[in-house]
């Protein structure tokens, strides 16, 4: 993917309202764009990030780097802040009233929470797939064409091409190519989730965030999604939250283990990043005893 994308989200001319993505792109002079990064370069760099819901500090002091064309897994017990950190990466938390981010999150070197960065453009570059498949009540075709149409793409031939490419990347094309105009709501759970992935890929994002995308799926559908993640990772950067440690071990290049810190004195809890490293290290020889206990199933 294009490493210029971070810069593409910056509009130098904020007039109080959000600039559309095309506007933001148009406003960036080519010479201000960073040089192309090598594979494996930093896509996100989070430093000292704490995330609040009102006065509640849900996550404390997370620092990590997410690398290009890798699959990064977030694991840890329920409530440790995996979803909260994930949503920070595409400013989805902006949509939660009272949510607030402290610290620095850089995306391709650009401060993601900079005042001149368009959250709409951010979410166009950084797509999200949710736990529960959420196809729109439209045809299969119109689900996939939805984002491209919003981005101004017209013309049947061009849209046909995008729909086919996206459904192929989503490993769904062969199953639906003869019924593209039927309702997406008739798909099975596993098919619906692959459709949602195809819909996300249709706008050619830079990053795909996935929040427990397989938790509602059977093992065969889960396998299909894991295979497709491997297929697409040469073109995208993927961050996946999973409560399934075997899945993290199977699919990811790096794993971040989060846990909950309890302060008995003040009776408060907060999520913390315990350890982050290559998946091989995290599962075979973790440094922290809490990681060891978790990945060997002695704590959950
Ligand atoms: N919208 C919200 N408003 C208030 N608290 C929230 C909200 N979303 C999550 N939390 C709290 O933040 C903490 C982390 O939650 P979450 O990120 O969902 O954890 P995980 O995904 O690891 O299960 C939990 O204590 C949860 O109750
Ligand atoms: Mg969650």
């Amino acid at each position: 993917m294009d490493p210029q994308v971070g810069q593409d989200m910056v509009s130098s001319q904020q007039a109080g309202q959000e600039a559309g993505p095309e506007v933001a792109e148009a406003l960036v002079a080519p010479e201000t764009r960073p040089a192309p990064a090598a594979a494996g370069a930093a896509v996100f760099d989070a430093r000292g990030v704490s995330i609040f819901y009102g006065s509640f500090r849900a996550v404390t002091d997370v620092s990590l780097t997410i690398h290009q064309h890798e699959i990064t897994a977030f694991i840890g017990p329920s409530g440790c802040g995996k979803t909260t950190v994930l949503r920070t990466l595409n400013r989805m938390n902006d949509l939660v009233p009272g949510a607030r981010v402290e610290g620095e999150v850089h995306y391709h070197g650009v401060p993601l929470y900079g005042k001149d960065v368009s959250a709409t453009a951010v979410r166009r570059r950084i797509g999200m797939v949710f736990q529960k498949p959420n196809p729109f009540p439209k045809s299969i075709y119109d689900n996939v064409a939805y984002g491209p149409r919003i981005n101004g793409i017209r013309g049947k031939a061009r849209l046909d091409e995008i729909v086919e490419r996206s459904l192929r990347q989503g490993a769904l094309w062969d199953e639906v190519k003869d019924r593209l105009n039927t309702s997406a709501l008739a798909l099975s759970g596993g098919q619906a989730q692959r459709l949602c992935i195809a819909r996300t890929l249709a706008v050619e994002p830079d990053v795909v965030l996935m929040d427990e995308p397989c938790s509602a799926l059977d093992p065969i559908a889960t396998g299909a999604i894991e295979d497709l993640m491997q297929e697409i990772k040469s073109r995208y950067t993927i961050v996946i939250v999973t409560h399934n440690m075997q899945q993290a071990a199977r699919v990811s290049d790096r794993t971040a283990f989060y846990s909950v810190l309890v302060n008995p004195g003040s009776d408060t809890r907060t999520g913390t990043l315990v350890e982050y490293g290559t998946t091989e290290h995290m599962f075979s020889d973790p440094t922290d005893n809490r990681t060891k206990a978790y990945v060997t199933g002695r704590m959950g």
Side-chain angles (χ1 to χ4, degrees):
M1 270 291 124
D2 187 345
Q4 309 172 342
V5 289
Q7 206 65 33
D8 283 353
M9 300 174 319
V10 180
S11 77
S12 55
Q13 184 198 313
Q14 282 286 308
Q17 91 275 35
E18 197 113 278
E22 296 77 15
V23 179
E25 257 155 59
L27 286 171
V28 177
E31 60 273 18
T32 65
R33 292 176 171 178
V43 173
F44 293 101
D45 198 30
R47 291 295 136 211
V49 169
S50 294
I51 308 157
F52 298 78
Y53 293 108
S55 59
F56 171 56
R57 187 192 280 258
V59 174
T60 300
D61 196 20
V62 168
S63 296
L64 86 176
T65 301
I66 288 167
H67 297 265
Q68 192 166 42
H69 300 164
E70 288 193 356
I71 299 175
T72 301
F74 288 180
I75 62 169
S78 183
C80 66
K82 304 178 297 296
T83 295
T84 298
V85 174
L86 191 76
R87 286 194 305 222
T88 298
L89 299 178
N90 76 342
R91 295 191 51 172
M92 208 69 124
N93 283 334
D94 290 17
L95 305 173
V96 179
R100 184 163 59 82
V101 176
E102 270 183 10
E104 290 283 318
V105 185
H106 280 86
Y107 172 62
H108 293 289
V110 173
L112 196 59
Y113 287 81
K115 63 175 177 4
D116 52 355
V117 168
S118 155
T120 310
V122 167
R123 290 184 211 118
R124 196 182 64 112
R125 301 305 313 160
I126 307 171
M128 187 133 182
V129 175
F130 299 88
Q131 186 164 1
K132 193 166 169 291
N134 58 346
F136 303 141
K138 294 172 178 287
S139 70
I140 293 168
Y141 186 102
D142 286 341
N143 265 269
V144 182
Y146 183 84
R149 280 176 173 143
I150 285 184
N151 290 340
I153 295 176
R154 300 280 179 267
K156 188 172 172 333
R158 179 79 186 107
L159 285 170
D160 285 355
E161 188 184 297
I162 292 172
V163 168
E164 177 170 346
R165 170 187 56 78
S166 307
L167 287 169
R168 283 188 189 281
Q169 287 183 6
L172 189 59
W173 174 252
D174 289 337
E175 289 163 57
V176 302
K177 62 175 190 257
D178 299 324
R179 51 173 170 137
L180 293 175
N181 292 315
T182 63
S183 172
L185 300 182
L187 295 171
S188 72
Q191 289 174 325
Q193 192 61 303
R194 279 178 284 148
L195 177 70
C196 293
I197 294 170
R199 189 176 66 192
T200 302
L201 300 180
V203 294
E204 299 192 48
D206 176 44
V207 179
V208 182
L209 307 177
M210 298 178 159
D211 194 355
E212 304 204 24
C214 302
S215 65
L217 306 183
D218 64 42
I220 291 176
T222 298
I225 298 218
E226 291 181 3
D227 288 347
L228 96 82
M229 289 170 67
Q230 296 301 334
E231 294 281 318
I232 65 175
K233 85 169 199 186
S234 63
R235 292 207 279 289
Y236 304 94
T237 299
I238 300 173
V239 186
I240 179 174
V241 170
T242 175
H243 63 246
N244 179 334
M245 279 191 287
Q246 286 71 33
Q247 178 166 67
R250 278 193 303 267
V251 305
S252 72
D253 299 292
R254 280 175 222 258
T255 298
F257 170 58
Y258 296 83
S259 188
V260 181
L261 272 183
V262 180
N263 182 337
S266 58
D267 194 27
T268 53
R269 333 161 38 84
T270 192
T272 180
L273 175 60
V274 172
E275 188 169 355
Y276 179 48
T278 64
T279 297
E280 202 193 337
H281 166 80
M282 295 291 283
F283 282 90
S284 63
D285 186 26
T287 308
D288 195 289
N289 283 331
R290 291 169 292 176
T291 314
K292 212 168 284 177
Y294 190 78
V295 300
T296 55
R298 282 185 283 120
M299 175 206 127

